[in-house]
Amino acid sequence: TSTTVALNSQQASGEKMTSTESEAPVASPTSTALMGPTSPPPEADQFKTEANSAFNLGHYDQAIDLYSKAIDLYDKSAIYYANRSFAYLRTECFGYALSDASRAIALDQSYIKAYYRRASANMALGKFKLALTDFEQVHRRRPGDSDAKAKYTECKKIVQQKAFEKAIAYEEKRVSPCDEISQSLQSMTIEDSYDGPKLSEEGNKVTREFVTQLLDYYKKSKVLHRRYAYQILVDMKALLSAEATLVDVAVPEGTKFTICGDVHGQFFDLLNIFELNGLPSETNPYLFNGDFVDRGSFSVECIFTLFSLKLLYPKSFFLARGNHESEYMNKIYGFEGEVKAKYADKMVQLFREVFNLLPLVHLIDGRILVMHGGLFSSDDVTLEDIRKIDRNMDIPDSGPMSELLWSDPQDLPGRAPSKRGVAVQFGPDVTERFCKNNGLDYIVRSHEVKEKGYEVAHSGRCITVFSAPNYCDTMGNKGAYITLTGGKDLSPKFTSFDCVPHPTVRPMAYSSSLMQLFS
């Protein structure tokens, strides 16, 4: 999800941006980081000083705007680009951060902070080998810098670990974690002290009673028994294995159909959606459009609620994969840590297997295409091409699957490199051609925080819906959901809603220390 959430002191270790700090080049007073071919005009330096102040106050978007004004006046300063790169890192525009850091290095190869910024951006994008190269530069030139040494060492460990994992993957025949755990489910003891919901005695199936009891149990901050949690994951693997990459959804005439966007582990806001719009049922169908987990610290509660509903109503409750249903994102943004804290390391492997099987796209009545991210780097992608995507894998770095889960719309026509560093940004002309070529009325996507919880763009052809209000307890945005009524008129109707109170567990409470490597 794209956002300008500021990482708090427990989540990040970034230094403050001060005028003196940002003007200290590594080389000498004649470095182009300060001067370039000519000195920057006073107006440019004034914008930079104002940007530094905005940065220190956590106003990162304002800082980016001010650094951009400085660059417009004088584009030869490595400092300006490196500082803007830092602000982009804080707003998680990792693609832009990478570009600015590279530009700073091109202007002044001795400017150490630019290497630091580029390494951080590559770390955030999971490009560990490239990050290691830059961290190595920083560590070699600043051997006494304990922070640089720590990040270099940690990054090196990750590269070595990944190389080891890749090596043993060729030697071991992969065993399905779900299949493996299913053989030991019956031997898992249900302790007498357990007072929570139980699957049906006949077949260990999810029932309506189980779901309602589960919601009440979660409201009391209790944890579903591990035997039932594992059973749900095993059953989800079997169910999703039979589903298509592109799921066709028929909405009978006069029937309401609800589309929700990102919920990101905000369980109590998820409950509020059901309060406002009714619990899912065969006559009250829903589609949740990815990013069920991460950031919010009740992701386990969200995912088992949604999975239980999918098992209960497989033909009227739909789940799509988001970019956060992936191994690396879960490792960084909290879901993996939360699963390990509430259950065990083993369960993380089952989630990875199940997430890889989630459908990517839903086609409503042949007229509305719903995906988490957006459209493609090429105009020639068709619905049939999407149907043929082999989705049973972690999300790749590029290609149609990655673009479906990572792309974003833009106001300008054409395409542009993504601010995120993954997939593309696509303009209104791209959306118009895609809809026309595939016989669609419009597309619905999620993936981005919106002030009202939704946004209508591209002349009504591209709609964003985001269902996590006051995202990360900081954004102040509303959440929203879309309702459609089956029939000739499939016009979207939007309902915005505010956040509700939740137990005092901060967002990102389970996030990885790896976040410090790109903060």
Side-chain angles (χ1 to χ4, degrees), residues 156-441:
K156 188 175 182 180
K157 285 180 183 177
I158 294 170
V159 171
Q160 292 172 337
Q161 179 184 352
K162 286 200 163 289
F164 174 73
E165 290 173 353
K166 186 176 181 180
I168 64 173
Y170 287 111
E171 299 172 9
E172 295 180 353
K173 183 178 179 181
R174 177 168 171 77
V175 178
S176 160
C178 286
D179 293 349
E180 186 178 21
I181 203 73
S182 67
Q183 299 172 15
S184 58
L185 282 174
Q186 298 307 313
S187 63
M188 291 185 186
T189 304
I190 308 294
E191 296 81 4
D192 293 338
S193 59
Y194 178 68
D195 60 352
K198 299 179 180 180
L199 297 174
S200 67
E201 294 183 3
E202 295 183 7
N204 286 316
K205 300 299 181 184
V206 172
T207 63
R208 182 81 173 187
E209 181 182 15
F210 172 84
V211 171
T212 55
Q213 290 178 357
L214 180 65
L215 299 183
D216 288 338
Y217 205 59
Y218 280 157
K219 289 177 186 176
K220 300 172 184 175
S221 300
K222 295 188 176 183
V223 178
L224 178 68
H225 195 279
R226 67 187 185 282
R227 175 172 168 180
Y228 302 130
Y230 279 120
Q231 184 70 61
I232 287 170
L233 288 168
V234 169
D235 290 348
M236 278 297 294
K237 183 211 171 184
L239 176 62
L240 294 176
S241 295
E243 291 210 333
T245 296
L246 187 156
V247 177
D248 292 284
V249 179
V251 182
E253 187 166 356
T255 301
K256 181 180 77 172
F257 186 87
T258 302
I259 304 172
C260 297
D262 309 41
V263 294
H264 272 301
Q266 297 185 195
F267 174 70
F268 293 88
D269 294 310
L270 173 62
L271 289 182
N272 191 38
I273 293 174
F274 297 150
E275 287 287 332
L276 295 170
N277 196 54
L279 277 171
S281 68
E282 293 174 347
T283 57
N284 191 23
Y286 278 79
L287 163 58
F288 279 82
N289 196 28
D291 280 13
F292 319 123
V293 300
D294 281 338
R295 298 195 185 274
S297 296
F298 306 95
S299 291
V300 163
E301 289 81 355
C302 282
I303 198 64
F304 280 122
T305 295
L306 296 173
F307 278 2
S308 295
L309 287 164
K310 179 62 180 175
L311 291 170
L312 182 59
Y313 303 116
K315 301 299 183 183
S316 57
F317 190 81
F318 303 93
L319 299 173
R321 190 174 187 177
N323 64 302
H324 274 265
E325 278 70 57
S326 68
E327 178 180 351
Y328 181 66
M329 301 299 277
N330 294 164
K331 187 180 293 293
I332 296 295
Y333 292 101
F335 182 59
E336 180 176 309
E338 184 180 344
V339 171
K340 289 179 178 179
K342 294 178 179 178
Y343 289 102
D345 291 12
K346 179 69 175 177
M347 189 175 283
V348 173
Q349 299 174 28
L350 275 74
F351 272 113
R352 288 176 187 166
E353 185 173 19
V354 173
F355 284 168
N356 285 352
L357 292 168
L358 284 164
L360 305 182
V361 179
H362 290 77
L363 179 61
I364 299 174
D365 282 352
R367 294 165 54 190
I368 303 168
L369 196 69
V370 186
M371 77 290 286
H372 181 74
L375 297 181
F376 309 96
S377 55
S378 171
D379 278 346
D380 59 4
V381 178
T382 67
L383 299 184
E384 287 307 308
D385 293 327
I386 297 172
R387 293 183 193 277
K388 294 175 184 176
I389 293 174
D390 180 5
R391 70 186 189 278
N392 188 9
M393 63 181 75
D394 201 16
I395 302 171
D397 292 334
S398 60
M401 179 174 169
S402 174
E403 290 163 356
L404 282 167
L405 301 182
W406 276 98
S407 289
D408 294 294
Q410 63 180 19
D411 293 333
L412 295 175
R415 294 178 174 88
S418 171
K419 61 190 175 185
R420 303 172 189 269
V422 184
V424 298
Q425 294 177 189
F426 58 97
D429 55 328
V430 175
T431 304
E432 179 70 26
R433 287 193 298 271
F434 180 80
C435 289
K436 184 177 180 180
N437 292 343
N438 290 283
L440 301 172
D441 292 359

Side-chain angles (χ1 to χ4, degrees), residues 129-155:
K129 287 185 178 180
L130 293 174
L132 181 60
T133 300
D134 283 338
F135 277 137
E136 193 171 19
Q137 282 266 21
V138 177
H139 177 52
R140 187 170 65 248
R141 297 189 190 191
R142 288 185 177 178
D145 187 326
S146 59
D147 184 60
K149 181 179 179 181
K151 292 185 177 181
Y152 165 71
T153 303
E154 188 64 28
C155 188

